[in-house]
Amino acid sequence: MSLFLSIEGGDGAGKSTQAALLMTRLKAAEVDALLVHEPGGTALGEQVRRLVKGAASPSPVPELFLFEAARAQLVQDVIGPALTAGRVVVTDRYADSSTAYQGYGRGLDLEDVRALNRIATGGLMPDATILLDMPPERALARVDGTDGSGGRSDDPDQARFEREPIEFHQRVAEGFRTMAAEEPRRWFVVDASAGADAVAEKVWAIVSRLLDVRGIKSHA
Ligand code: TYD
């Protein structure tokens, strides 16, 4: 039986680290799992990734369409087939990121964003979504290294969203929290300010329970 999990959160909340740690735990438990990352995962998705993060600087509506185009291709070519094959799929960002960033962050109409999400995904939503929640001020300090972590400033095209004013990131964070409160059965909010290993433990506690409920054999 398949399971579809998404990991969401603002920039610098540690999603990619947690997604990788989760995959390590799933592999150790001999669960057949696939990790994808939005935007990306297909040839179109990788091009979109460069476009939205680079110098093209699309305005909000075209930006939304770019993310949705990448998402539609990823669902059709990768996520859908993997779920049909009974695999566990973990995605680092999914449709909720468009609602948070283009809806709450950029100010596009939330129902319009959700309608496009439905078209792009064919209505496929995650069974569970883990929100890595952390104050944007702290998360962004991690990204630019002002917290002493070294940051990610060696990535030349990572900066477009991260350069947005703090108010933008606060709207995004608040948007995620609102979505989690509106749909508490799907969302699991994890305080991401702790160290990576402590956060990973909390994430694994959630995921291993979901695997049990689904009757997916894990050897953890
Ligand atoms: P990425 O490097 O994936 O950021 P992160 O490592 O924080 O996930 O870059 C993706 C950026 O695109 C990120 O700032 C969030 C943004 N984004 C949207 O605005 N809307 C979306 O639908 C998605 C998927 C991402």
Side-chain angles (χ1 to χ4, degrees):
M1 204 192 206
S2 65
L3 180 68
F4 184 25
L5 300 171
S6 62
I7 303 182
E8 295 282 4
D11 292 75
K15 284 183 312 342
S16 307
T17 304
Q18 290 303 324
L21 291 171
L22 175 59
M23 289 304 286
T24 306
R25 302 291 288 253
L26 287 166
K27 290 231 164 71
E30 295 174 29
V31 173
D32 180 18
L34 173 74
L35 173 64
V36 294
H37 181 204
E38 274 208 21
T42 65
L44 177 71
E46 292 304 329
Q47 293 202 33
V48 165
R49 185 174 189 80
R50 281 195 288 279
L51 278 172
V52 292
K53 296 178 103 184
S57 294
S59 22
V61 171
E63 180 182 80
L64 174 63
F65 275 93
L66 286 169
F67 283 118
E68 299 293 1
R71 179 168 301 134
Q73 199 74 49
L74 184 68
V75 168
Q76 183 195 287
D77 292 356
V78 182
I79 297 177
L83 293 174
T84 303
R87 305 182 73 187
V88 171
V89 176
V90 178
T91 183
D92 179 348
R93 297 197 182 283
Y94 193 60
D96 299 306
S97 273
S98 289
T99 313
Y101 281 80
Q102 281 64 53
Y104 287 97
R106 301 275 194 230
L108 295 184
D109 182 85
L110 293 176
E111 282 317 309
D112 285 353
V113 177
R114 290 192 168 118
L116 285 185
N117 282 342
R118 271 194 299 278
I119 294 171
T121 61
L124 175 73
M125 287 303 279
D127 299 300
T129 297
I130 293 169
L131 172 59
L132 298 182
D133 184 43
M134 148 170 207
E137 297 80 358
R138 282 195 59 187
L140 291 167
R142 257 190 203 174
V143 170
D144 66 18
T146 51
D147 65 347
S149 66
R152 304 191 300 197
S153 29
D154 52 333
D155 180 352
D157 64 4
Q158 55 121 356
R160 195 172 144 253
F161 281 90
E162 289 148 11
R163 276 198 307 261
E164 291 290 336
I166 190 68
E167 293 76 20
F168 173 84
H169 293 282
Q170 278 157 350
R171 288 196 299 276
V172 169
E174 208 41 56
F176 276 128
R177 285 187 207 118
T178 303
M179 286 189 272
E182 282 171 355
E183 235 187 307
R185 287 167 61 90
R186 173 163 71 92
W187 289 78
F188 296 81
V189 182
V190 171
D191 177 1
S193 11
D197 289 341
V199 175
E201 282 304 322
K202 290 189 204 160
V203 170
W204 182 244
I206 294 163
V207 174
S208 53
R209 218 177 320 122
L210 291 167
L211 292 172
D212 280 350
V213 170
R214 288 260 157 164
I216 297 171
K217 255 219 324 249
S218 74
H219 301 274

